């Protein structure tokens, strides 16, 4: 059996926050939206149904907790959760806090505009706040 490896595109586009029980938690390097990604640390998995039942339940619990924490931390109006996998086949679940004042509202964030990277201070503050709230 192969070991879990993060897809290179996710490594390129995101910052590591922490590892949860099942998933690696990443922050998308796009300061326009609070945008996290959960990646189950299970090698070769592309779809949620490929996880065993316990892993599915754990992913749902992590996703629910992350959604609640993000909505509270970022004062969100709507939480968008999606597992698309069109560009990156490795199973990963996007969690994006949306507000009616955000750059893309009410459109999807994908392909809307070039991302604006986090500056170091903002990146540090967000990753610390999320890690502390989730661990």
């Amino acid at each position: 059996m192969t070991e879990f490896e993060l897809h290179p595109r996710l490594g390129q586009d995101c910052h590591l926050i922490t590892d949860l029980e099942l998933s690696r938690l990443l922050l998308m390097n796009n300061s326009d939206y609070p945008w996290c990604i959960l990646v189950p640390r299970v090698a070769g998995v592309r779809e949620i149904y490929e996880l065993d039942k316990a892993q599915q339940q754990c992913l749902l619990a992590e996703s629910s907790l992350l959604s609640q924490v993000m909505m509270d931390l970022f004062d969100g109006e709507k939480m968008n959760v999606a597992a698309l996998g069109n560009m990156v086949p490795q199973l990963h679940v996007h969690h994006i806090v949306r507000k009616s004042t955000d750059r893309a509202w009410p459109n999807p964030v994908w392909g809307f505009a070039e991302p604006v990277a986090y500056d170091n201070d903002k990146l540090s503050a967000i990753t610390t706040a999320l890690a502390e709230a989730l661990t």
Side-chain angles (χ1 to χ4, degrees):
M1 182 167 171
T2 61
E3 290 187 37
F4 167 80
E5 287 185 36
L6 186 66
H7 190 281
R9 177 79 185 256
L10 293 173
Q12 172 188 325
D13 292 348
C14 301
H15 297 282
L16 174 65
I17 297 175
T18 192
D19 282 340
L20 303 175
E21 181 180 345
L22 175 70
S23 303
R24 180 150 298 162
L25 176 60
L26 307 172
L27 176 69
M28 179 67 83
N29 192 18
N30 184 343
S31 64
D32 287 327
Y33 321 95
W35 184 342
C36 290
I37 299 175
L38 286 176
V39 185
R41 293 186 320 276
V42 180
V45 174
R46 298 170 64 109
E47 305 295 343
I48 293 171
Y49 68 80
E50 294 175 331
L51 297 171
D52 67 34
K53 296 295 183 203
Q55 292 167 334
Q56 290 174 21
Q57 290 174 343
C58 189
L59 179 59
L60 179 59
E62 290 175 348
S63 177
S64 296
L65 176 60
L66 176 60
S67 295
Q68 181 179 8
V69 164
M70 290 180 70
M71 290 291 279
D72 291 345
L73 282 176
F74 303 110
D75 195 31
E77 294 174 34
K78 178 69 178 121
M79 172 59 68
N80 290 178
V81 178
L84 302 177
N86 299 346
M87 304 271 299
V88 174
Q90 181 176 46
L91 176 59
H92 62 289
V93 183
H94 297 265
H95 295 72
I96 308 167
V97 174
R98 301 298 307 273
K99 295 182 184 184
S100 57
T101 57
D102 76 38
R103 190 173 183 191
W105 186 270
N107 300 310
V109 299
W110 286 275
F112 185 80
E114 285 297 313
V116 177
Y118 283 101
D119 66 42
N120 288 337
D121 290 339
K122 185 75 169 176
L123 176 64
S124 178
I126 288 175
T127 57
T128 298
L130 285 165
E132 287 177 357
L134 291 165
T135 56

